[in-house]
Amino acid sequence: MAGSTGLAMRVSGFDALDGSFDTPEKVGVELFNVETGEIAAGWSLEKLANCWNAKHANALYIASEKREGENGPEYRYADRFVTGAGTDVWKLLRAIARGLVFYDPADTIYVDGTPKVRSQWRINASQLPDAMASLYGSSTIVTA
């Protein structure tokens, strides 16, 4: 599905019907123009595996709460969190293909022209239980 940018994301080398992957060199993620098919950005399996497997083998997602204070919004950690253990790049790719994980460029260009690249893979908080079940071999919701 394309957003306001006209771009959509797909997992190349993945058959969503049977959940199988092609050879590693054909597998990756592409951000592409829906009308023209032109690829705007791409990530190889190797790049995704190197980043994902090292940083996300175990995860802790802490819920937050927002309220309006007298000086504007105030935030605090909630008493609920989700743990995840046992992931790999294949789980990430399947979650991207299902639309549970999306790309957030989150880049900033300062007035002097200096870029700050903060691209991240994100999940929608309302889909957290489904996303965690897809991304991790085991996940647990804990209420303190």
Side-chain angles (χ1 to χ4, degrees):
M1 176 184 348
S4 60
T5 62
L7 300 175
M9 187 163 292
R10 65 181 168 220
V11 177
S12 59
F14 176 65
D15 184 334
L17 294 177
D18 68 9
S20 66
F21 290 94
D22 204 332
T23 59
E25 54 277 348
K26 292 183 180 179
V27 176
V29 175
E30 298 171 341
L31 187 63
F32 68 99
N33 183 300
V34 173
E35 288 186 22
T36 66
E38 182 180 359
I39 297 172
W43 301 266
S44 68
L45 175 63
E46 180 181 12
K47 181 171 175 95
L48 288 166
N50 288 338
C51 295
W52 182 259
N53 292 344
K55 289 178 69 176
H56 298 281
N58 297 295
L60 174 68
Y61 295 85
I62 302 173
S64 63
E65 296 174 345
K66 175 184 172 183
R67 72 176 186 185
E68 289 302 320
E70 60 183 59
N71 296 320
E74 298 175 346
Y75 299 89
R76 72 179 188 123
Y77 292 115
D79 62 355
R80 188 176 82 264
F81 58 93
V82 182
T83 64
T87 191
D88 58 45
V89 71
W90 307 109
K91 292 179 188 299
L92 172 64
L93 291 169
R94 285 184 177 97
I96 291 170
R98 288 184 54 202
L100 292 171
V101 174
F102 61 93
Y103 178 68
D104 179 2
D107 298 339
T108 301
I109 299 178
Y110 296 104
V111 176
D112 67 359
T114 306
K116 180 175 183 181
V117 179
R118 295 199 62 238
S119 303
Q120 299 179 27
W121 296 103
R122 296 200 184 268
I123 56 178
N124 185 321
S126 68
Q127 295 177 308
L128 185 59
D130 286 342
M132 293 298 287
S134 293
L135 289 169
Y136 293 92
S138 66
S139 64
T140 305
I141 299 173
V142 179
T143 303

